C-alpha cells in the first residue's frame, strides 16, 4: 500500500465537534488511512493511498461536510 | 411548498453554518431554517426527505429522520 500525506486548509470550524465531523467525513473515504484535523491551525493532515483516492476527493469530502477546503500540499 | 423537518445534533455556530451551507447547495432547497435550541432544521423546498437526510449525514453529524407521524 502506498502512503501519501495531503495537507489542507479547512475554514469554518468553530468547535471540536466541527473538527471531528471533518475527521469523520475524511475517514469515511475509501483509501484514507489517517486524518488529523487541527482546529487551531484550521488544517487537516490526511494520510491516504493515492491508488484509492485523489486529493480532489479529499477536498470534496470536506466541502460536503459544509466547510471550505483548499489543498496546501 | 413542502417542508422537511429534521433533528440534527449541532453544538455551535460553526456546525449550524456547515449544515446551512451543505443544504444550501442541495437542489430544490428554497430555504433552510435552523433552531439551535431544539437542535432542529426545517428545509422548505422540493428536495425529498431522503435527499435532505443524506446531505446532512455527509456532514458527519447525527441526523434523526423526520418523524413519519
Amino acid at each position: 500500500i502506498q502512503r501519501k500525506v495531503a495537507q489542507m486548509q479547512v475554514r469554518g470550524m468553530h468547535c471540536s465537534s466541527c473538527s471531528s465531523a471533518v475527521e469523520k467525513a475524511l475517514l469515511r473515504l475509501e483509501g484514507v488511512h489517517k486524518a488529523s484535523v487541527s482546529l487551531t491551525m484550521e488544517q487537516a493532515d490526511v494520510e491516504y493511498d493515492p491508488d484509492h483516492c485523489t486529493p480532489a476527493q479529499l477536498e470534496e469530502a470536506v466541502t460536503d461536510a459544509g466547510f471550505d477546503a483548499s489543498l496546501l500540499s | 411548498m413542502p417542508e422537511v423537518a429534521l433533528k440534527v445534533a449541532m453544538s455551535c455556530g460553526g456546525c449550524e453554518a456547515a449544515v446551512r451551507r451543505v443544504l444550501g447547495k442541495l437542489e430544490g432547497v428554497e430555504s433552510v431554517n435552523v433552531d439551535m435550541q431544539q437542535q432542529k432544521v426545517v428545509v422548505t423546498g422540493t428536495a425529498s426527505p431522503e435527499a435532505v437526510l443524506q446531505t446532512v449525514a455527509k456532514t458527519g453529524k447525527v441526523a434523526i429522520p423526520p418523524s413519519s407521524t
Side-chain angles (χ1 to χ4, degrees), chain A residues 15-67:
Chain A
C15 70
S16 56
S17 64
C18 297
S19 56
S20 69
V22 172
E23 229 164 72
K24 235 186 275 178
L26 286 166
L27 287 170
R28 245 203 311 259
L29 269 182
E30 211 221 319
V32 169
H33 300 306
K34 227 176 67 177
S36 61
V37 179
S38 154
L39 183 60
T40 44
M41 286 163 41
E42 285 199 313
Q43 204 174 310
D45 299 330
V46 188
E47 199 182 289
Y48 67 101
D49 176 352
D51 300 338
H52 282 88
C53 75
T54 64
Q57 281 170 313
L58 299 177
E59 246 178 32
E60 196 196 327
V62 177
T63 16
D64 273 358
F67 300 97

Side-chain angles (χ1 to χ4, degrees), chain A residues 14-15 17 24 28 63-64 66, chain B residues 11-12 14 21-22 25 58 60:
Chain A
H14 290 249
C15 70
S17 64
K24 235 186 275 178
R28 245 203 311 259
T63 16
D64 273 358
Chain B
S11 25
C12 78
R21 199 175 295 140
V22 286
K25 279 188 283 191
K58 267 195 281 185

Side-chain angles (χ1 to χ4, degrees), chain B residues 41-58:
Chain B
V41 175
V42 179
V43 177
T44 37
T46 54
S48 69
E50 294 75 26
V52 172
L53 187 61
Q54 249 167 22
T55 305
V56 175
K58 267 195 281 185

Side-chain angles (χ1 to χ4, degrees), chain B:
Chain B
M1 189 67 82
E3 267 185 12
V4 178
L6 215 49
K7 272 188 98 59
V8 183
M10 294 170 290
S11 25
C12 78
C15 303
E16 177 187 343
V19 170
R20 248 188 233 284
R21 199 175 295 140
V22 286
L23 286 173
K25 279 188 283 191
L26 184 60
E27 233 193 275
V29 168
E30 283 295 315
S31 74
V32 180
N33 191 312
V34 175
D35 179 336
M36 287 301 276
Q37 277 74 29
Q38 291 179 9
Q39 296 283 287
K40 216 173 87 169
V41 175
V42 179
V43 177
T44 37
T46 54
S48 69
E50 294 75 26
V52 172
L53 187 61
Q54 249 167 22
T55 305
V56 175
K58 267 195 281 185
T59 63
K61 295 191 193 334
V62 174
I64 317 273
S67 52
S68 49
T69 51

